[in-house]
Amino acid sequence: MKRASKFKAVGKKMLWVSAAISFYEVTDVLVNDDSNKWNVTTKASIDITIGLIGFYGGPIGWLVSGTYFILDISGAFGDWGKPSGIRSDGVPYNFNQFEYDHEIEFNIEFVQEIQEKKLLEMRNVKKDKTSVIKPRILLRKN
């Protein structure tokens, strides 16, 4: 019974840690107006609910909770419930190593100029009568 009470105390602390992480994720996406905020909020709510089921559900709750979290860690749900890093107006707000605050526009005229220059360079190349022949074997090893 003493060991069981220690596991229960650790389980309760882990439930609070899990709930705090989920709460932080929801707060972060809502503050940044993430385009995927409702999926993140739904997944965080499910995480907290499954944690409560695991803590208060007895052996069946442990089985349900353990299965859910193993599936979650293994990537069975894919990107569902993860922040997109893009605000709802389409502007990125969160990149790991750099800030991106402008859009790059494609300039077709610039590309056409480069292609024309390359074409002119190719036309101005002088051709000579050099050819490549198949190499002959001079010495053979036996």
Side-chain angles (χ1 to χ4, degrees), residues 16 21 28 33-34 40 43 48-50 61 73 82 88 113 117 133 140:
W16 282 106
I21 291 170
D28 184 49
D33 191 28
D34 192 279
V40 174
K43 178 149 183 334
I48 293 170
T49 303
I50 295 292
I73 289 172
K82 302 226 184 325
S88 60
E113 282 180 35
K117 286 179 184 177
I133 59 171
R140 288 188 185 183

Side-chain angles (χ1 to χ4, degrees), residues 5 18 22 47 66 68-71 87 94 109 135 141:
S5 64
S18 174
S22 295
D47 287 348
Y68 172 78
F69 286 113
I70 288 171
L71 287 172
R87 293 192 322 229
N94 186 12
E109 291 85 19
K141 285 186 176 180

Side-chain angles (χ1 to χ4, degrees), residues 12 20 40-41 43 64 74-76 83 106 112-113 121 123 141:
K12 193 177 231 179
V40 174
T41 305
K43 178 149 183 334
V64 169
S74 68
F106 182 73
Q112 287 174 344
E113 282 180 35
E121 287 175 7
R123 288 183 185 160
K141 285 186 176 180

Side-chain angles (χ1 to χ4, degrees), residues 105-118:
E105 293 184 14
F106 182 73
N107 188 344
I108 191 69
E109 291 85 19
F110 179 70
V111 173
Q112 287 174 344
E113 282 180 35
I114 291 174
Q115 289 174 344
E116 288 173 5
K117 286 179 184 177
K118 290 287 184 188

Side-chain angles (χ1 to χ4, degrees), residues 38-56:
W38 299 119
N39 286 337
V40 174
T41 305
T42 303
K43 178 149 183 334
S45 301
I46 291 171
D47 287 348
I48 293 170
T49 303
I50 295 292
L52 289 169
I53 289 170
F55 187 73
Y56 292 109

